Amino acid sequence: MSETVLADPATLLSLLESWVELGWLRALDLALVRFVSHQAEAAGQPLSPLLMLGIALSSHQLGRGHVCLDLDAMTREGFNDALSLPPEDDVAPDERLLPSDILRDTALGDWETALDLPLVVADVADGEHSSSPLVRDGHRLYLRRYWQYEQAIFHQLSDRLAPLTQLQDPSGVGARALAGALDALFGGVDADDAVDWQRVACANAARQGFSVITGGPGTGKTTTVVKLLAALQSVALSLSAGARSLRIRLAAPTGKASARLNESLAGAVDGLDLSGLHDGEAIRAAIPVEVTTVHRLLGSIPGSRKFRHHRHNPLVADVLVIDEASMVDIEMMARVLEATPPHARLILLGDKDQLASVDAGAVLGEFCQRAAGGHYTPATAGWLAQVAGTVIAPELLDGAGTPLDQAITMLRKSYRFTADSGIGQLATAVNQPASGDAATEAARVLQGGFVDIARAAINRTEPEPQVTRHCLGGGAASFPGGGEGRLIQGRPVAPPEGYRHYLGVMKRARPAADADWTQWEQWAGQVLEAYNRFQLLCALRRGPFGVEGLNQAIIAALSKDKLISTGEGWFAGRPIMVTRNDYSLGLMNGDIGITLEVPARHWLNGREVIDPDHRVIRVAFPAGDGSGGVRWVLPSRLQGVETVFAMTVHKSQGSEFAHTCLVLPDRINPVLTRELVYTGITRAKHWFSLLVPDQQVFDQAVGRRVIRTSGLGRVLFG
């Protein structure tokens, strides 16, 4: 069939149409092929079938998170695996539909010939001067826009990756003010002290126009950034009499992440000891805690990809902090860099080992690909020694370190997970196995009897009963000692719980019908907090092990046990997730609310009146401002939502739950990677349970890394 498909454009289009019908390709991918083909034909330069296929696959790879199509890797690694065709759990109805059949006789030379059409594909050397829809850089094929994003990021970083003038001299006024602020915030440094990487991160980020602070869960990224902002404000206010404080903006990729950072910052700023700084309370007042989404920060324009803030209308800011930067895709990173004023510091926070953004690119991962090795130059190490009082270990020094290496600081100590924490050890085993064999080290931890970890085998052919039983009750019996009697820092920890817990709180703590509205809001807050005690995470969306199937199974089980009144529509107790930003409601993609039945209320003569005899359905969302309050929304106003008893690991990023349960499917799949498993594990604060039909699937998953195809790393590090 390959000879026929690649010899006739009509046959190739027919193949692509069949892939769209099967759900292997997006309709968008096919539409792009048709559009470019039409334009080329109108110019008298019709496309070859192989070039048409290259356009379709380049667009398809974008939909999978890749920035470009790597022709060489596709040939070496196998067409089906490299392209994830068929996707997820699909099975090809006909082997002749597979890319491996279509392309089995296609060599790189054939691609070179097919791409030699400047009207459609520009060579990288001519990229800036061409209007072709695609750009070829060696064996990488880009849609033009995404090649431009890579170039924009490179050029912006090239301009920013230099120490700021006022801090470059370690004996200068600015550097000495910074050193004093660090001593006040962290205390003095003794020669025998271990390296305080939070202190190093503050000093290094203060020195740069662009910086990244990366670290795993519990390494203190929020604590570090609060002390960094205090140090920056202290330096700014001390440099001259009457100096103004810095204008600081804070943002995160999603509403959920911004709300969580808002709450964390509010507590951290209030608890910050600023007694050692001159005018400490003025500094505290100058540290903002209001966090917005990146889209709202830049001013998204409805119905377009454009933003109100860009290079010609930059943000009004002296410091911009972006949290959960692993979730920022390549387009948004280019937009952020473009809109950040040249004089401002841009500081990225995030875990480089988490799953990359849902959209194209793994920008933070590429920035931090050398972070573990440090690669600090002697000049950087000398500056840090004088200003931060810290000696960088020889193994982290590199005379050939790049400018980007100098801007990265990795926090290397976890304050959340102690040595006896199975969750912490499992995360390390999966992500940074000392032996290099993640499967063996993870198996050791899973079999090690740690009190905070449970592993259970589930039925391959009918997993739903076991999964729902675990989710409803919390699976305490699967943990050593039934999860009873556990202490963390001397404080008792509640045993692992499931969805029965929050539904029980919803019924038991419900106020009296004639209670005032304050009591109803307090109740809603209790239910929301109880819901965060447990969350089921899935690797897939479809199938018996995926979000869609398990959501339905859990709803059916809850209905059967009379924990919810019905499984249809807007029933009381239904947890929902917002699936797209809604600025009119102040809700962002990823926000979670609980559907509750409350008495109707209205205003009469300026007074609030509650009608206990008239009940209505409302959705309660956390206020997201650190106050612990609640926002109420009419269900009819929520246009993009889905039930969220089960959510994908991707959607869980930026969240934390007391007990997290990760379900893996019965066979390996392209989405199953070390990063996915690590992200799932690190969503758990106190308890983690793993449900797998086949341990080999887990072992294979932790042995596979996410490789997002792009040229950004090569551009940045050479």
Side-chain angles (χ1 to χ4, degrees):
M1 181 176 179
S2 60
E3 296 82 0
T4 305
V5 169
L6 296 181
D8 177 37
T11 305
L12 187 279
L13 283 174
S14 179
L15 170 73
L16 298 181
E17 288 169 355
S18 66
W19 283 0
V20 171
E21 290 173 2
L22 290 167
W24 294 10
L25 279 189
R26 302 172 298 172
L28 175 66
D29 305 328
L30 177 57
L32 178 63
V33 175
R34 291 187 185 280
F35 174 77
V36 176
S37 296
H38 177 76
Q39 297 296 312
E41 286 176 8
Q45 299 185 47
L47 307 186
S48 68
L50 189 56
L51 178 51
M52 293 167 67
L53 182 59
I55 296 170
L57 295 179
S58 297
S59 181
H60 164 70
Q61 291 294 76
L62 276 175
R64 297 182 54 236
H66 299 283
V67 176
C68 56
L69 173 66
D70 189 325
L71 300 169
D72 183 47
M74 181 174 66
T75 304
R76 284 185 289 102
E77 298 170 10
F79 301 107
N80 300 343
D81 288 343
L83 299 168
S84 189
L85 293 176
E88 286 207 357
D89 284 340
D90 283 2
V91 177
D94 186 336
E95 291 292 317
R96 293 175 298 175
L97 293 171
L98 293 171
S100 56
D101 182 78
I102 308 303
L103 294 167
R104 66 172 182 268
D105 298 322
T106 305
L108 278 176
D110 298 317
W111 284 108
E112 294 284 337
T113 301
L115 299 178
D116 188 16
L117 187 64
L119 176 72
V120 175
V121 184
D123 188 78
V124 64
D126 303 316
E128 293 290 353
H129 311 292
S130 169
S131 58
S132 64
L134 288 90
V135 175
R136 178 169 63 91
D137 186 354
H139 52 77
R140 288 182 294 273
L141 184 61
Y142 294 82
L143 297 190
R144 167 169 293 278
R145 180 188 298 138
Y146 289 85
W147 177 77
Q148 290 175 325
Y149 293 147
E150 276 194 3
Q151 296 301 306
I153 290 172
F154 171 70
H155 292 304
Q156 283 280 347
L157 289 186
S158 297
D159 293 340
R160 293 178 184 276
L161 286 173
L164 299 174
T165 304
Q166 68 267 35
L167 294 174
Q168 193 166 3
D169 180 2
S171 61
V173 175
R176 284 188 284 111
L178 175 61
L182 293 176
D183 283 341
L185 291 163
F186 290 94
V189 179
D190 294 329
D192 297 331
D193 285 350
V195 173
D196 184 343
W197 285 102
Q198 292 186 6
R199 185 186 188 112
V200 172
C202 284
N204 210 23
R207 177 181 181 235
Q208 313 278 345
F210 171 83
S211 60
V212 178
I213 300 173
T214 186
T219 52
K221 293 186 289 294
T222 302
T223 300
T224 301
V225 80
V226 167
K227 290 186 177 182
L228 168 60
L229 297 179
L232 290 175
Q233 291 289 26
S234 175
V235 171
L237 294 172
S238 67
L239 289 180
S240 62
R244 66 168 176 81
S245 59
L246 298 171
R247 295 164 297 188
I248 299 173
R249 303 295 302 274
L250 308 168
T254 67
K256 180 169 53 178
S258 62
R260 185 176 171 200
L261 178 61
N262 189 308
E263 293 174 3
S264 300
L265 284 174
V269 172
D270 286 344
L272 196 60
D273 182 3
L274 298 175
S275 58
L277 293 176
H278 175 67
D279 210 358
E281 289 312 307
I283 291 172
R284 191 190 312 277
I287 302 175
V289 296
E290 182 180 350
V291 186
T292 186
T293 63
V294 177
H295 278 83
R296 180 170 285 177
L297 172 81
L298 298 182
S300 61
I301 299 174
S304 79
R305 304 177 79 100
K306 296 181 179 180
F307 294 88
R308 285 190 288 276
H309 291 289
H310 43 74
R311 70 166 60 90
H312 302 301
N313 181 33
L315 294 163
V316 178
D318 301 306
V319 179
L320 172 58
V321 179
I322 307 289
D323 192 27
E324 295 290 354
S326 63
M327 300 166 67
V328 179
D329 61 80
I330 191 168
E331 177 179 4
M332 192 55 66
M333 188 63 73
R335 303 290 193 193
V336 167
L337 282 161
E338 179 187 38
T340 304
H343 74 275
R345 290 179 176 86
L346 174 59
I347 302 162
L348 305 181
L349 304 177
D351 185 345
K352 67 181 178 63
D353 298 313
Q354 275 196 110
L355 278 170
S357 57
V358 174
D359 292 316
V363 185
L364 186 72
E366 298 210 60
F367 286 168
C368 298
Q369 61 185 269
R370 288 157 52 100
H375 297 280
Y376 297 118
T377 63
T380 298
W383 188 92
L384 289 170
Q386 292 188 62
V387 177
T390 300
V391 177
I392 302 297
E395 60 268 24
L396 298 180
L397 300 181
D398 180 358
T402 68
L404 181 57
D405 290 323
Q406 314 317 301
I408 312 293
T409 310
M410 187 170 111
L411 304 179
R412 299 164 189 259
K413 177 181 177 181
S414 176
Y415 297 88
R416 178 188 303 173
F417 300 128
T418 57
D420 62 349
S421 166
I423 296 173
Q425 291 207 29
L426 183 60
T428 300
V430 166
N431 188 46
Q432 297 174 327
S435 66
D437 186 348
T440 299
E441 294 198 23
R444 174 188 57 78
V445 177
L446 288 169
Q447 297 164 12
F450 290 98
V451 296
D452 54 346
I453 289 180
R455 177 199 171 280
I458 54 176
N459 191 295
R460 180 188 293 270
T461 58
E462 196 177 357
E464 292 91 344
Q466 291 166 284
V467 175
T468 54
R469 194 159 51 245
H470 189 92
C471 291
L472 267 61
S478 302
F479 291 85
E484 296 286 351
R486 185 175 169 211
L487 300 175
I488 295 181
Q489 297 179 344
R491 296 180 179 179
V493 178
E497 291 158 324
Y499 290 133
R500 286 183 187 275
H501 173 66
Y502 93 89
L503 292 168
V505 169
M506 183 181 75
K507 293 186 177 181
R508 290 191 305 271
R510 184 180 176 86
D514 58 351
D516 63 44
W517 193 250
T518 300
Q519 292 176 273
W520 288 100
E521 292 204 328
Q522 291 172 345
W523 168 68
Q526 287 180 276
V527 176
L528 286 164
E529 183 179 356
Y531 175 81
N532 277 328
R533 299 291 302 169
F534 177 82
Q535 183 62 58
L536 172 63
L537 303 181
C538 302
L540 307 179
R541 284 202 62 86
R542 294 182 290 173
F545 301 92
V547 166
E548 294 172 2
L550 289 175
N551 261 325
Q552 292 303 313
I554 291 170
I555 289 172
L558 292 172
S559 296
K560 182 180 178 181
D561 288 358
K562 297 183 170 34
L563 292 169
I564 57 176
S565 59
T566 177
E568 299 179 4
W570 290 96
F571 56 89
R574 179 192 179 194
I576 60 103
M577 175 185 284
V578 177
T579 56
R580 61 173 182 261
N581 294 343
D582 188 331
Y583 294 101
S584 66
L585 294 177
L587 296 174
M588 300 295 125
N589 185 4
D591 284 351
I592 293 176
I594 304 292
T595 310
L596 297 172
E597 188 179 70
V598 295
R601 60 175 180 150
H602 58 274
W603 293 88
L604 181 65
N605 298 327
R607 290 177 57 251
E608 183 181 62
V609 178
I610 296 176
D611 183 357
D613 297 322
H614 182 201
R615 296 183 178 184
V616 294
I617 290 290
R618 296 289 183 268
V619 183
F621 289 90
D625 57 3
S627 67
V630 172
R631 285 184 294 169
W632 299 93
V633 180
L634 280 164
S636 60
R637 297 195 65 191
L638 294 167
Q639 302 303 311
V641 298
E642 60 185 28
T643 302
V644 70
F645 286 114
M647 73 168 71
T648 61
V649 177
H650 264 105
K651 285 287 189 180
S652 74
Q653 290 187 94
S655 297
E656 179 182 87
F657 307 96
H659 177 192
T660 297
C661 173
L662 175 63
V663 174
L664 296 184
D666 61 340
R667 58 181 179 270
I668 198 63
N669 183 283
V671 306
L672 295 177
T673 62
R674 179 177 300 183
E675 288 82 359
L676 180 135
V677 175
Y678 169 78
T679 302
I681 293 167
T682 54
R683 298 313 90 204
K685 186 176 182 181
H686 297 316
W687 309 99
F688 173 73
S689 47
L690 174 68
L691 304 185
V692 289
D694 186 343
Q695 182 65 30
Q696 289 187 356
V697 173
F698 176 88
D699 294 343
Q700 292 178 55
V702 299
R704 294 152 47 106
R705 305 229 54 158
V706 169
I707 300 176
R708 287 279 177 94
T709 305
S710 85
L712 186 58
R714 182 191 61 81
V715 169
L716 294 171
F717 294 104

